[in-house]
Amino acid sequence: MAFFDLRCRDCQKEFTEMVSFSKLSEVKCPDCGSTNHERVYKANIKGPISSGSGGGYAPPSRGFT
Ligand SMILES: [Zn+2]
């Protein structure tokens, strides 16, 4: 089971559904009941984006030169 962010193609409703990937196509829109939806990819990844210590953004040291 995983959370999927979906958008209904019929009524443009965006909703989140917890379902296994194999059952994703069976998910119905909570508004109109349509199964015609697409996945929405949101950039809500929880990572070390906090601007606490360090004083801002520190670029990865990979040596681009
Ligand atoms: Zn809908």
Side-chain angles (χ1 to χ4, degrees):
M1 301 284 273
F3 281 102
F4 293 98
D5 290 313
L6 304 170
R7 182 194 297 117
C8 179
R9 288 193 175 110
D10 289 345
C11 70
Q12 310 305 314
K13 167 80 173 182
E14 288 191 20
F15 56 100
T16 302
E17 193 76 25
M18 189 179 77
V19 67
S20 61
F21 187 79
S22 57
K23 297 286 185 63
L24 193 56
S25 60
E26 299 178 16
V27 173
K28 294 180 180 178
C29 170
D31 269 18
C32 69
S34 172
T35 56
N36 184 23
H37 47 65
E38 61 186 355
R39 286 189 66 181
V40 179
Y41 295 93
K42 296 179 180 178
N44 58 355
I45 303 172
K46 293 179 180 178
I49 312 175
S50 61
S51 60
S53 60
Y57 176 71
S61 58
R62 290 182 182 175
F64 287 103
T65 57

mmCIF file of all heavy atoms in Angstrom, residues 2-35:
data_model
loop_
_atom_site.group_PDB
_atom_site.id
_atom_site.type_symbol
_atom_site.label_atom_id
_atom_site.label_comp_id
_atom_site.label_asym_id
_atom_site.label_seq_id
_atom_site.Cartn_x
_atom_site.Cartn_y
_atom_site.Cartn_z
ATOM 1 N N ALA A 2 0.408 2.231 -0.699
ATOM 2 C CA ALA A 2 1.158 3.485 -0.758
ATOM 3 C C ALA A 2 0.178 4.614 -1.045
ATOM 4 O O ALA A 2 -0.944 4.382 -1.495
ATOM 5 C CB ALA A 2 2.226 3.429 -1.833
ATOM 6 N N PHE A 3 0.616 5.795 -0.761
ATOM 7 C CA PHE A 3 -0.216 6.955 -1.050
ATOM 8 C C PHE A 3 0.050 7.436 -2.470
ATOM 9 O O PHE A 3 1.196 7.558 -2.891
ATOM 10 C CB PHE A 3 0.082 8.087 -0.062
ATOM 11 C CG PHE A 3 -0.569 7.886 1.272
ATOM 12 C CD1 PHE A 3 0.168 7.426 2.345
ATOM 13 C CD2 PHE A 3 -1.916 8.163 1.431
ATOM 14 C CE1 PHE A 3 -0.438 7.231 3.578
ATOM 15 C CE2 PHE A 3 -2.524 7.975 2.662
ATOM 16 C CZ PHE A 3 -1.784 7.504 3.734
ATOM 17 N N PHE A 4 -1.019 7.691 -3.178
ATOM 18 C CA PHE A 4 -0.895 8.220 -4.527
ATOM 19 C C PHE A 4 -1.693 9.516 -4.625
ATOM 20 O O PHE A 4 -2.839 9.583 -4.190
ATOM 21 C CB PHE A 4 -1.435 7.226 -5.556
ATOM 22 C CG PHE A 4 -0.613 5.978 -5.661
ATOM 23 C CD1 PHE A 4 -0.996 4.833 -4.992
ATOM 24 C CD2 PHE A 4 0.549 5.956 -6.415
ATOM 25 C CE1 PHE A 4 -0.240 3.675 -5.072
ATOM 26 C CE2 PHE A 4 1.310 4.803 -6.500
ATOM 27 C CZ PHE A 4 0.918 3.661 -5.829
ATOM 28 N N ASP A 5 -1.060 10.506 -5.192
ATOM 29 C CA ASP A 5 -1.769 11.746 -5.485
ATOM 30 C C ASP A 5 -2.337 11.641 -6.893
ATOM 31 O O ASP A 5 -1.609 11.419 -7.850
ATOM 32 C CB ASP A 5 -0.823 12.946 -5.391
ATOM 33 C CG ASP A 5 -0.409 13.223 -3.954
ATOM 34 O OD1 ASP A 5 -1.305 13.232 -3.094
ATOM 35 O OD2 ASP A 5 0.780 13.427 -3.701
ATOM 36 N N LEU A 6 -3.627 11.788 -6.986
ATOM 37 C CA LEU A 6 -4.309 11.592 -8.262
ATOM 38 C C LEU A 6 -5.125 12.819 -8.630
ATOM 39 O O LEU A 6 -5.549 13.587 -7.767
ATOM 40 C CB LEU A 6 -5.247 10.379 -8.178
ATOM 41 C CG LEU A 6 -4.587 9.068 -7.760
ATOM 42 C CD1 LEU A 6 -5.652 8.017 -7.483
ATOM 43 C CD2 LEU A 6 -3.640 8.571 -8.826
ATOM 44 N N ARG A 7 -5.337 12.976 -9.936
ATOM 45 C CA ARG A 7 -6.218 14.035 -10.411
ATOM 46 C C ARG A 7 -7.213 13.432 -11.384
ATOM 47 O O ARG A 7 -6.849 12.749 -12.339
ATOM 48 C CB ARG A 7 -5.432 15.148 -11.114
ATOM 49 C CG ARG A 7 -6.347 16.293 -11.580
ATOM 50 C CD ARG A 7 -5.668 17.236 -12.555
ATOM 51 N NE ARG A 7 -4.537 17.918 -11.967
ATOM 52 C CZ ARG A 7 -3.284 17.787 -12.380
ATOM 53 N NH1 ARG A 7 -3.012 17.014 -13.392
ATOM 54 N NH2 ARG A 7 -2.299 18.425 -11.799
ATOM 55 N N CYS A 8 -8.469 13.707 -11.113
ATOM 56 C CA CYS A 8 -9.529 13.203 -11.980
ATOM 57 C C CYS A 8 -9.516 13.968 -13.303
ATOM 58 O O CYS A 8 -9.470 15.186 -13.324
ATOM 59 C CB CYS A 8 -10.881 13.356 -11.291
ATOM 60 S SG CYS A 8 -12.259 12.803 -12.295
ATOM 61 N N ARG A 9 -9.547 13.239 -14.396
ATOM 62 C CA ARG A 9 -9.547 13.894 -15.704
ATOM 63 C C ARG A 9 -10.939 14.419 -16.064
ATOM 64 O O ARG A 9 -11.081 15.235 -16.957
ATOM 65 C CB ARG A 9 -9.087 12.909 -16.791
ATOM 66 C CG ARG A 9 -7.601 12.596 -16.741
ATOM 67 C CD ARG A 9 -7.178 11.894 -18.022
ATOM 68 N NE ARG A 9 -5.730 11.674 -18.066
ATOM 69 C CZ ARG A 9 -5.166 10.476 -17.966
ATOM 70 N NH1 ARG A 9 -5.904 9.413 -17.779
ATOM 71 N NH2 ARG A 9 -3.861 10.347 -18.035
ATOM 72 N N ASP A 10 -11.944 13.941 -15.376
ATOM 73 C CA ASP A 10 -13.304 14.349 -15.704
ATOM 74 C C ASP A 10 -13.709 15.627 -14.986
ATOM 75 O O ASP A 10 -14.326 16.504 -15.569
ATOM 76 C CB ASP A 10 -14.280 13.217 -15.360
ATOM 77 C CG ASP A 10 -14.129 12.053 -16.325
ATOM 78 O OD1 ASP A 10 -13.492 12.248 -17.391
ATOM 79 O OD2 ASP A 10 -14.629 10.967 -16.027
ATOM 80 N N CYS A 11 -13.340 15.727 -13.711
ATOM 81 C CA CYS A 11 -13.771 16.899 -12.951
ATOM 82 C C CYS A 11 -12.593 17.664 -12.346
ATOM 83 O O CYS A 11 -12.794 18.618 -11.633
ATOM 84 C CB CYS A 11 -14.763 16.491 -11.855
ATOM 85 S SG CYS A 11 -14.005 15.550 -10.507
ATOM 86 N N GLN A 12 -11.385 17.237 -12.666
ATOM 87 C CA GLN A 12 -10.163 17.920 -12.235
ATOM 88 C C GLN A 12 -9.968 17.878 -10.728
ATOM 89 O O GLN A 12 -9.163 18.613 -10.177
ATOM 90 C CB GLN A 12 -10.136 19.388 -12.721
ATOM 91 C CG GLN A 12 -10.428 19.554 -14.193
ATOM 92 C CD GLN A 12 -9.512 18.714 -15.075
ATOM 93 O OE1 GLN A 12 -8.311 18.688 -14.869
ATOM 94 N NE2 GLN A 12 -10.088 18.008 -16.028
ATOM 95 N N LYS A 13 -10.706 17.030 -10.057
ATOM 96 C CA LYS A 13 -10.557 16.900 -8.621
ATOM 97 C C LYS A 13 -9.220 16.239 -8.291
ATOM 98 O O LYS A 13 -8.861 15.221 -8.875
ATOM 99 C CB LYS A 13 -11.718 16.063 -8.067
ATOM 100 C CG LYS A 13 -11.531 15.586 -6.648
ATOM 101 C CD LYS A 13 -11.849 16.679 -5.654
ATOM 102 C CE LYS A 13 -11.809 16.126 -4.225
ATOM 103 N NZ LYS A 13 -12.176 17.168 -3.231
ATOM 104 N N GLU A 14 -8.492 16.829 -7.360
ATOM 105 C CA GLU A 14 -7.257 16.220 -6.901
ATOM 106 C C GLU A 14 -7.500 15.566 -5.551
ATOM 107 O O GLU A 14 -8.085 16.170 -4.656
ATOM 108 C CB GLU A 14 -6.142 17.269 -6.791
ATOM 109 C CG GLU A 14 -5.634 17.730 -8.146
ATOM 110 C CD GLU A 14 -4.358 18.561 -8.017
ATOM 111 O OE1 GLU A 14 -3.675 18.467 -6.989
ATOM 112 O OE2 GLU A 14 -4.071 19.325 -8.957
ATOM 113 N N PHE A 15 -7.033 14.343 -5.407
ATOM 114 C CA PHE A 15 -7.258 13.633 -4.161
ATOM 115 C C PHE A 15 -6.118 12.648 -3.933
ATOM 116 O O PHE A 15 -5.367 12.317 -4.839
ATOM 117 C CB PHE A 15 -8.607 12.902 -4.181
ATOM 118 C CG PHE A 15 -8.766 11.947 -5.347
ATOM 119 C CD1 PHE A 15 -8.572 10.585 -5.163
ATOM 120 C CD2 PHE A 15 -9.127 12.413 -6.594
ATOM 121 C CE1 PHE A 15 -8.720 9.694 -6.217
ATOM 122 C CE2 PHE A 15 -9.271 11.535 -7.665
ATOM 123 C CZ PHE A 15 -9.080 10.179 -7.474
ATOM 124 N N THR A 16 -6.002 12.231 -2.692
ATOM 125 C CA THR A 16 -4.959 11.275 -2.324
ATOM 126 C C THR A 16 -5.611 9.972 -1.920
ATOM 127 O O THR A 16 -6.576 9.959 -1.168
ATOM 128 C CB THR A 16 -4.118 11.830 -1.164
ATOM 129 O OG1 THR A 16 -3.549 13.072 -1.554
ATOM 130 C CG2 THR A 16 -2.989 10.869 -0.819
ATOM 131 N N GLU A 17 -5.094 8.891 -2.454
ATOM 132 C CA GLU A 17 -5.679 7.591 -2.175
ATOM 133 C C GLU A 17 -4.580 6.642 -1.705
ATOM 134 O O GLU A 17 -3.499 6.602 -2.283
ATOM 135 C CB GLU A 17 -6.329 7.037 -3.447
ATOM 136 C CG GLU A 17 -7.217 5.849 -3.209
ATOM 137 C CD GLU A 17 -8.555 6.234 -2.599
ATOM 138 O OE1 GLU A 17 -8.995 7.368 -2.774
ATOM 139 O OE2 GLU A 17 -9.143 5.372 -1.931
ATOM 140 N N MET A 18 -4.871 5.903 -0.657
ATOM 141 C CA MET A 18 -3.931 4.879 -0.216
ATOM 142 C C MET A 18 -4.367 3.540 -0.785
ATOM 143 O O MET A 18 -5.409 2.999 -0.409
ATOM 144 C CB MET A 18 -3.874 4.815 1.319
ATOM 145 C CG MET A 18 -2.737 3.911 1.805
ATOM 146 S SD MET A 18 -2.598 3.813 3.588
ATOM 147 C CE MET A 18 -3.955 2.683 3.939
ATOM 148 N N VAL A 19 -3.584 3.030 -1.705
ATOM 149 C CA VAL A 19 -3.977 1.815 -2.406
ATOM 150 C C VAL A 19 -2.717 1.138 -2.932
ATOM 151 O O VAL A 19 -1.685 1.783 -3.109
ATOM 152 C CB VAL A 19 -4.949 2.156 -3.565
ATOM 153 C CG1 VAL A 19 -4.246 2.959 -4.647
ATOM 154 C CG2 VAL A 19 -5.591 0.926 -4.144
ATOM 155 N N SER A 20 -2.792 -0.143 -3.136
ATOM 156 C CA SER A 20 -1.652 -0.811 -3.743
ATOM 157 C C SER A 20 -1.581 -0.428 -5.217
ATOM 158 O O SER A 20 -2.594 -0.114 -5.847
ATOM 159 C CB SER A 20 -1.780 -2.327 -3.604
ATOM 160 O OG SER A 20 -2.937 -2.785 -4.265
ATOM 161 N N PHE A 21 -0.380 -0.471 -5.753
ATOM 162 C CA PHE A 21 -0.182 0.016 -7.120
ATOM 163 C C PHE A 21 -1.017 -0.756 -8.128
ATOM 164 O O PHE A 21 -1.511 -0.189 -9.108
ATOM 165 C CB PHE A 21 1.303 -0.073 -7.472
ATOM 166 C CG PHE A 21 1.636 0.548 -8.787
ATOM 167 C CD1 PHE A 21 1.769 1.938 -8.893
ATOM 168 C CD2 PHE A 21 1.809 -0.231 -9.913
ATOM 169 C CE1 PHE A 21 2.076 2.525 -10.114
ATOM 170 C CE2 PHE A 21 2.122 0.354 -11.137
ATOM 171 C CZ PHE A 21 2.251 1.728 -11.230
ATOM 172 N N SER A 22 -1.208 -2.022 -7.877
ATOM 173 C CA SER A 22 -1.955 -2.844 -8.822
ATOM 174 C C SER A 22 -3.436 -2.490 -8.852
ATOM 175 O O SER A 22 -4.129 -2.779 -9.807
ATOM 176 C CB SER A 22 -1.786 -4.329 -8.476
ATOM 177 O OG SER A 22 -2.215 -4.563 -7.151
ATOM 178 N N LYS A 23 -3.896 -1.857 -7.760
ATOM 179 C CA LYS A 23 -5.305 -1.475 -7.682
ATOM 180 C C LYS A 23 -5.513 -0.007 -8.025
ATOM 181 O O LYS A 23 -6.609 0.519 -7.876
ATOM 182 C CB LYS A 23 -5.832 -1.729 -6.266
ATOM 183 C CG LYS A 23 -5.807 -3.185 -5.850
ATOM 184 C CD LYS A 23 -6.912 -3.953 -6.542
ATOM 185 C CE LYS A 23 -6.969 -5.390 -6.025
ATOM 186 N NZ LYS A 23 -7.296 -5.476 -4.602
ATOM 187 N N LEU A 24 -4.456 0.629 -8.491
ATOM 188 C CA LEU A 24 -4.532 2.061 -8.729
ATOM 189 C C LEU A 24 -5.592 2.411 -9.774
ATOM 190 O O LEU A 24 -6.278 3.420 -9.675
ATOM 191 C CB LEU A 24 -3.155 2.567 -9.185
ATOM 192 C CG LEU A 24 -2.943 4.080 -9.199
ATOM 193 C CD1 LEU A 24 -3.218 4.673 -7.822
ATOM 194 C CD2 LEU A 24 -1.536 4.408 -9.649
ATOM 195 N N SER A 25 -5.735 1.567 -10.770
ATOM 196 C CA SER A 25 -6.692 1.843 -11.837
ATOM 197 C C SER A 25 -8.132 1.645 -11.382
ATOM 198 O O SER A 25 -9.062 2.025 -12.080
ATOM 199 C CB SER A 25 -6.398 0.942 -13.046
ATOM 200 O OG SER A 25 -6.506 -0.419 -12.670
ATOM 201 N N GLU A 26 -8.301 1.043 -10.195
ATOM 202 C CA GLU A 26 -9.659 0.806 -9.704
ATOM 203 C C GLU A 26 -10.138 1.916 -8.779
ATOM 204 O O GLU A 26 -11.277 1.925 -8.340
ATOM 205 C CB GLU A 26 -9.716 -0.531 -8.953
ATOM 206 C CG GLU A 26 -9.344 -1.711 -9.838
ATOM 207 C CD GLU A 26 -9.365 -3.009 -9.041
ATOM 208 O OE1 GLU A 26 -9.940 -3.019 -7.938
ATOM 209 O OE2 GLU A 26 -8.804 -4.008 -9.520
ATOM 210 N N VAL A 27 -9.215 2.838 -8.485
ATOM 211 C CA VAL A 27 -9.576 3.937 -7.589
ATOM 212 C C VAL A 27 -10.585 4.843 -8.274
ATOM 213 O O VAL A 27 -10.437 5.201 -9.435
ATOM 214 C CB VAL A 27 -8.313 4.745 -7.207
ATOM 215 C CG1 VAL A 27 -8.692 5.989 -6.417
ATOM 216 C CG2 VAL A 27 -7.364 3.873 -6.398
ATOM 217 N N LYS A 28 -11.623 5.197 -7.521
ATOM 218 C CA LYS A 28 -12.652 6.066 -8.081
ATOM 219 C C LYS A 28 -12.530 7.473 -7.510
ATOM 220 O O LYS A 28 -12.179 7.662 -6.342
ATOM 221 C CB LYS A 28 -14.046 5.510 -7.760
ATOM 222 C CG LYS A 28 -14.318 4.195 -8.454
ATOM 223 C CD LYS A 28 -15.708 3.694 -8.109
ATOM 224 C CE LYS A 28 -15.986 2.368 -8.816
ATOM 225 N NZ LYS A 28 -17.315 1.838 -8.464
ATOM 226 N N CYS A 29 -12.828 8.436 -8.328
ATOM 227 C CA CYS A 29 -12.833 9.826 -7.907
ATOM 228 C C CYS A 29 -13.887 10.024 -6.814
ATOM 229 O O CYS A 29 -15.030 9.578 -6.966
ATOM 230 C CB CYS A 29 -13.147 10.718 -9.106
ATOM 231 S SG CYS A 29 -13.458 12.432 -8.667
ATOM 232 N N PRO A 30 -13.527 10.658 -5.708
ATOM 233 C CA PRO A 30 -14.486 10.855 -4.617
ATOM 234 C C PRO A 30 -15.619 11.792 -4.995
ATOM 235 O O PRO A 30 -16.659 11.831 -4.325
ATOM 236 C CB PRO A 30 -13.624 11.442 -3.486
ATOM 237 C CG PRO A 30 -12.456 12.056 -4.173
ATOM 238 C CD PRO A 30 -12.201 11.208 -5.400
ATOM 239 N N ASP A 31 -15.433 12.573 -6.027
ATOM 240 C CA ASP A 31 -16.466 13.535 -6.420
ATOM 241 C C ASP A 31 -17.432 12.958 -7.444
ATOM 242 O O ASP A 31 -18.641 13.026 -7.287
ATOM 243 C CB ASP A 31 -15.811 14.794 -6.986
ATOM 244 C CG ASP A 31 -15.551 15.833 -5.900
ATOM 245 O OD1 ASP A 31 -15.558 15.441 -4.718
ATOM 246 O OD2 ASP A 31 -15.354 17.003 -6.226
ATOM 247 N N CYS A 32 -16.874 12.379 -8.514
ATOM 248 C CA CYS A 32 -17.746 11.939 -9.601
ATOM 249 C C CYS A 32 -17.702 10.432 -9.828
ATOM 250 O O CYS A 32 -18.456 9.915 -10.632
ATOM 251 C CB CYS A 32 -17.387 12.689 -10.898
ATOM 252 S SG CYS A 32 -15.792 12.221 -11.587
ATOM 253 N N GLY A 33 -16.807 9.731 -9.123
ATOM 254 C CA GLY A 33 -16.774 8.288 -9.233
ATOM 255 C C GLY A 33 -16.069 7.776 -10.469
ATOM 256 O O GLY A 33 -16.085 6.580 -10.736
ATOM 257 N N SER A 34 -15.437 8.653 -11.191
ATOM 258 C CA SER A 34 -14.749 8.240 -12.403
ATOM 259 C C SER A 34 -13.428 7.547 -12.080
ATOM 260 O O SER A 34 -12.772 7.857 -11.089
ATOM 261 C CB SER A 34 -14.486 9.463 -13.288
ATOM 262 O OG SER A 34 -13.656 9.110 -14.375
ATOM 263 N N THR A 35 -13.058 6.608 -12.906
ATOM 264 C CA THR A 35 -11.749 5.968 -12.751
ATOM 265 C C THR A 35 -10.764 6.525 -13.777
ATOM 266 O O THR A 35 -9.676 6.005 -13.949
ATOM 267 C CB THR A 35 -11.866 4.447 -12.933
ATOM 268 O OG1 THR A 35 -12.457 4.171 -14.197
ATOM 269 C CG2 THR A 35 -12.713 3.834 -11.833
#
